[in-house]
Amino acid sequence: MTENVKKLVDTAVKGIQEKKGRSINIIDMEGMEGVICKAFVVCEGTSPSQISAIADSVEEFMRKELKEKPVRIAGIENCIWVAMDYVDVMVHIFLPDARDFYSLESLWEDAPTTEIPDLD
C-alpha cells in the first residue's frame, strides 16, 4: 500500500473508531485488476444515527488531518449503507444486516484483507 493510501486508510479508521464503529476491515486492492480505487475501508454501526455519526467523524478527520474532502457521499439519506469516495480509498459504513446482505468483503476475497480489532 502506498504511503498516501495508508494515510487515508489510517485516518478513516481513526474517524470510525472515534464513534465506536466496529468490525473494521481494510481491503487492499492495489494489485487487483479493474478496480475503482486502491483500498476499501469497511465497518459497521448499530443504528442509522451511529452510521451518520461515523460518516461525519470520518469526514472531519480527513478534512482536519489530511485536508481531504470526499468526491461523493452516497446513502447518507437513509444511513443503511454509506459510501464515501476519497478517490484512492472508499469508506463503506453499514448496518449489520446490510453488510451481511451485500457481502462486500466476499466480492473481493482475493484481495489482502486486514481486520482491525474493536477498541473495547
Side-chain angles (χ1 to χ4, degrees):
M1 193 176 294
T2 65
E3 190 60 35
N4 185 51
V5 171
K6 183 161 177 26
K7 282 181 186 175
L8 288 165
V9 166
D10 290 346
T11 304
V13 168
K14 283 189 217 173
I16 293 164
Q17 290 175 327
E18 175 72 17
K19 297 299 177 184
K20 309 282 190 265
R22 304 183 56 80
S23 301
I24 303 169
N25 285 336
I26 312 304
I27 304 172
D28 183 348
M29 303 177 61
E30 283 191 296
M32 307 296 290
E33 271 189 51
V35 295
I36 59 168
C37 63
K38 296 181 177 162
F40 279 172
V41 178
V42 184
C43 73
E44 61 188 57
T46 58
S47 67
S49 58
Q50 186 186 18
I51 300 293
S52 178
I54 292 169
D56 288 346
S57 180
V58 169
E59 193 170 7
E60 183 178 339
F61 270 76
M62 292 290 218
R63 187 182 70 251
K64 284 184 175 178
E65 291 192 13
L66 302 177
K67 310 259 187 285
E68 292 280 350
K69 291 183 179 179
V71 174
R72 184 158 187 263
I73 299 175
I76 204 72
E77 323 65 52
N78 58 22
C79 290
I80 293 169
W81 172 11
V82 173
M84 306 177 77
D85 183 354
Y86 285 93
V87 182
D88 285 340
V89 174
M90 292 281 298
V91 179
H92 298 274
I93 311 162
F94 288 97
L95 284 176
D97 288 347
R99 188 177 189 173
D100 290 343
F101 180 80
Y102 290 104
S103 190
L104 199 59
E105 286 100 336
S106 71
L107 292 175
W108 302 104
E109 63 190 1
D110 293 345
T113 300
T114 304
E115 293 181 22
I116 306 296
D118 293 339
L119 284 183
D120 53 40

